[in-house]
Amino acid sequence: MLYRTAGQFKTSYRADQALFPVRQDALLLGVILVLAWVVFPLTASEFAFQTLLIPILIYSLAALGLNILTGYAGQLSLGTGAFMGVGAYACYKLVTIFPWMNPILAILLSGVFSAGIGVMFGIPSLRIKGFYLAIATLAAQFFLVWLFEKWPWLYNYNASGAIQVPNLDMGPLIVAGPLSESLTKYYVVLAIVTLLTVVCINLTRGNLGRMWKATRDMDIAAELIGINLMKSKLLAFAISSYIVGVAGAMFVFLWRGAAEPNLFDIALSFQILFIAIIGGLGSILGNYLGAILIVGLPVVLNSVPDLVGLDIKSATLEHINIMIIGALIIFFLIVEPHGLARLWGLIREKLLVWPFPH
């Protein structure tokens, strides 16, 4: 079988703890990267870029940011949509105040503002946790969306109250705006998502990741063995909010093209949370699997009636989509709380020992 590991010996602790202890995992990742960087850009249509590829990457990054906070550090948050909004509005102000700024740099810097706001609203986590912390982040959600609407300076006093993405260029390439091409935006999104994913993998596998996991599993015991809970929790809020803020900036500048305050309401926060839950909390891979399912499911549902010759209204399809997502959440919470990432882990374990029983 493809996952036969005969002849792959480990002679040191470093080799045993490598990122890819099984050679086939590295080969599988290589295939995925070739598909993402070469095959999809050459074969995908405009529809595929706008409805599947770009939103899957952006939602995956947003779920990754939430997973850092909730899955690894154990701090519940219901304000992800608002922190995405902070990143989007910060990026808008950066490119309008400094029109000469590199757009990719502006997107990366926008996460800094989101991180600052995240730390501010993360301070209550030093005294409260669980359901009460979730309520505190929910308050941040409503307050920030209200601020986006009531502070005209954020949207440059536009009469519509919305932010419009201007044409942003990098030399001969127009990266964002009405004149930008989907292929260019896809490559920018893919590069940023790849970079931040690599950073998160290294963070979660290092000392900081172990500190977060100890805080998540039992914070009192973690404090007794010398872990600084204030540092652990606030770093989790800062890094999580930074990633979510960058995702929010790309959400508007490299996909939507415009945004109103209600775009970042509680529904977006729950959508990101659903991706993290279905994909698997405490997993890097799960964010991508969950985003593929959540983003791809409506596309599949909309295409099924045409394939089978049924006349189903779009509103009905939307309701069916919501029902399926709700059923999936209940299923994974009961049957497999670690989500799609754990299911892939089980399949991988079966492949490692096939055809022998496990």
Side-chain angles (χ1 to χ4, degrees):
M1 284 295 290
L2 295 177
Y3 260 87
R4 181 67 62 234
T5 58
Q8 299 184 34
F9 303 109
K10 307 296 185 299
T11 58
S12 66
Y13 178 78
R14 179 184 294 272
D16 193 52
Q17 294 298 314
L19 181 59
F20 301 109
V22 177
R23 190 180 302 120
Q24 285 85 342
D25 290 335
L27 294 175
L28 179 59
L29 178 61
V31 171
I32 293 173
L33 291 177
V34 169
L35 289 174
W37 284 92
V38 180
V39 177
F40 291 157
L42 292 176
T43 60
S45 62
E46 182 74 15
F47 175 81
F49 278 123
Q50 292 299 320
T51 60
L52 287 174
L53 297 178
I54 293 177
I56 282 174
L57 290 172
I58 293 174
Y59 279 123
S60 298
L61 186 64
L64 176 59
L66 177 62
N67 229 325
I68 291 291
L69 181 64
T70 303
Y72 284 94
Q75 309 302 303
L76 297 179
S77 175
L78 296 177
T80 309
F83 293 125
M84 290 179 69
V86 172
Y89 279 90
C91 189
Y92 180 70
K93 295 303 296 184
L94 285 173
V95 299
T96 52
I97 296 175
F98 308 105
W100 46 264
M101 181 177 288
N102 185 300
I104 296 180
L105 178 62
I107 290 173
L108 294 175
L109 285 178
S110 63
V112 176
F113 297 90
S114 182
I117 300 297
V119 170
M120 184 186 306
F121 284 100
I123 291 176
S125 68
L126 304 177
R127 299 296 299 271
I128 59 178
K129 56 184 177 180
F131 175 76
Y132 300 100
L133 179 60
I135 295 301
T137 57
L138 188 62
Q141 167 72 46
F142 291 122
F143 171 75
L144 290 172
V145 172
W146 173 85
L147 192 66
F148 299 153
E149 183 177 357
K150 299 299 183 181
W151 193 7
W153 179 79
L154 289 176
Y155 48 85
N156 288 347
Y157 303 95
N158 292 332
S160 63
I163 57 176
Q164 299 285 338
V165 177
N167 290 314
L168 304 174
D169 60 78
M170 284 177 52
L173 291 177
I174 300 178
V175 176
L179 298 180
S180 62
E181 296 182 357
S182 295
L183 179 62
T184 304
K185 292 188 287 189
Y186 169 76
Y187 269 123
V188 173
V189 172
L190 181 60
I192 293 175
V193 170
T194 302
L195 173 64
L196 293 182
T197 301
V198 172
V199 171
C200 288
I201 289 173
N202 282 278
L203 287 177
T204 55
R205 285 169 53 86
N207 293 334
L208 188 56
R210 288 188 285 270
M211 184 168 65
W212 285 337
K213 292 173 186 177
T215 304
R216 173 196 66 192
D217 295 339
M218 188 171 292
D219 55 353
I220 296 177
E223 189 173 21
L224 289 175
I225 63 174
I227 291 177
N228 188 331
L229 292 185
M230 181 179 73
K231 176 183 177 182
S232 175
K233 293 180 178 181
L234 293 186
L235 274 176
F237 269 97
I239 295 173
S240 169
S241 299
Y242 175 84
I243 296 171
V244 169
V246 172
M250 294 194 298
F251 183 71
V252 174
F253 278 72
L254 299 176
W255 183 32
R256 291 284 187 172
E260 296 181 348
N262 59 10
L263 182 63
F264 306 103
D265 62 7
I266 190 66
L268 180 60
S269 296
F270 278 121
Q271 188 174 17
I272 303 301
L273 180 62
F274 296 160
I275 291 173
I277 292 175
I278 292 175
L281 293 174
S283 166
I284 301 294
L285 173 64
N287 304 298
Y288 294 92
L289 298 177
I292 291 172
L293 180 62
I294 296 297
V295 175
L297 183 61
V299 178
V300 173
L301 286 177
N302 287 326
S303 61
V304 166
D306 296 333
L307 294 176
V308 298
L310 295 177
D311 184 18
I312 303 178
K313 296 181 179 179
S314 58
T316 303
L317 291 174
E318 184 177 354
H319 294 156
I320 294 175
N321 178 54
I322 295 174
M323 293 168 61
I324 293 176
I325 292 175
L328 287 173
I329 292 172
I330 296 173
F331 170 80
F332 281 111
L333 288 176
I334 296 175
V335 177
E336 186 47 75
H338 296 289
L340 292 171
R342 179 55 185 161
L343 291 181
W344 161 245
L346 292 174
I347 295 172
R348 180 178 173 276
E349 291 175 7
K350 298 290 185 182
L351 291 174
L352 287 172
V353 298
W354 188 89
F356 304 103
H358 185 63

